Amino acid sequence: MTPIRHNGSGGSDNDAVLDAVRDCVLAVGVRRTTLTDVARRAGVSRMTLYRRWPDVRTLVGDLMTREWVAVATGALPEHRPGVPARAVITEGLVAAVRAFGAHPLFRKILDVDPELLLPYVLDRRGASQEALLELLAGSLREGHADGSVRAAHPERQARSVLLIVQSFTLSLRTMTDEDDPELAPEAFLGELRGILERTLTP
C-alpha cells in the first residue's frame, strides 16, 4: 500500500480516497462505511487515512465539499457576449438544483443519512456553502456592474439567494406530484426561475 501525497490542491491521491469513500457510501450508506473499507478500496493503509481523516464523517465531509462544489460550478453556463449576469446566475442556479436532484451521492445521503446535512441547514455553514457563496457574490457583483442585478450588499444578497436555492434543493421532492404535470419537478424549477428573476431584477 502506498501513502497519499498531500498538497494544497488535494491532488489525485486524495481524489482516489474520496472516490473510494464515495463508492462505499453509494453501496452501503455512511453509517455502514468504515475506514477499513475505504482504505481497502483506495489501496492505502488505515494509518495513512488516520493521518488526514480521524473518522468516516470527516472523510464524507470532504467528499461532499468536492462533489457539491463540482455540481454547482458545472451547472454554470458559460458567459456569452451580450448576456447579462442575471440571466447567467438564474439559469446556473436552476440548473444546479436540477443537477443536485439527479446526483447519485446527494440522493443516497437524502435517502439513507439525511442527518449529515442537518448541521449545514440548522447550525453552521460548511466549506461547500462558503465556496458557493464566494462564487455567487462574485457573479452578483458582475450583475451590479452591468445593471442587470438589483444593487444590494453582495454578501447578504448571496446568502439570501442561497437560502432560497437551498430550500428547493433539499425539499423539492416533498412538494412534487409526478401524477400532475403542474406539480412536477420541472414546473417547480420554473417557479424557482421566476422567484430568482423577481428577486434579482433592479
Side-chain angles (χ1 to χ4, degrees), residues 104-199:
L105 181 67
F106 186 75
R107 292 170 66 96
K108 183 73 172 185
I109 289 174
L110 276 185
D111 289 341
V112 179
D113 300 288
E115 68 278 0
L116 285 176
L117 302 174
L118 282 179
Y120 311 113
V121 176
L122 301 176
D123 297 324
R124 65 182 185 276
R125 295 190 299 276
S128 58
Q129 288 164 311
E130 294 288 3
L132 296 177
L133 285 171
E134 182 178 352
L135 180 67
L136 185 52
S139 296
L140 290 168
R141 288 190 184 94
E142 293 177 8
H144 298 161
D146 71 15
S148 66
V149 172
R150 173 178 55 84
H153 186 281
E155 282 75 24
R156 185 182 67 240
Q157 197 173 34
R159 293 181 187 190
S160 298
V161 169
L162 186 58
L163 282 171
I164 296 169
V165 174
Q166 199 166 262
S167 69
F168 271 79
T169 302
L170 294 172
S171 302
L172 178 60
R173 65 180 184 171
T174 69
M175 296 294 166
T176 57
D177 184 346
E178 295 290 355
D179 296 329
D180 185 345
E182 295 299 324
L183 297 174
E186 283 300 320
F188 280 97
L189 291 180
E191 287 291 330
L192 173 60
R193 183 180 290 106
I195 290 168
L196 293 172
E197 280 287 340
R198 289 190 294 275
T199 297

Side-chain angles (χ1 to χ4, degrees), residues 69-106:
V69 171
V71 170
T73 55
L76 288 175
E78 291 186 9
H79 285 271
R80 301 185 302 278
V83 177
R86 187 181 74 244
V88 175
I89 294 168
T90 300
E91 291 308 313
L93 291 173
V94 171
V97 174
R98 183 184 293 111
F100 270 104
H103 193 281
L105 181 67
F106 186 75

Side-chain angles (χ1 to χ4, degrees), residues 17-18 20-22 24-25 28-39 46 49-50 52-64 109 113 116 120:
V17 172
L18 296 181
V21 72
R22 180 196 60 205
C24 288
V25 171
V28 299
V30 173
R31 278 170 290 186
R32 294 177 60 191
T33 293
T34 67
L35 285 178
T36 300
D37 297 330
V38 175
R46 282 185 301 170
L49 293 187
Y50 279 124
R52 174 73 188 272
W53 297 281
D55 51 40
V56 169
R57 289 205 169 213
T58 306
L59 247 178
V60 171
D62 281 0
L63 173 64
M64 289 193 297
I109 289 174
D113 300 288
L116 285 176
Y120 311 113

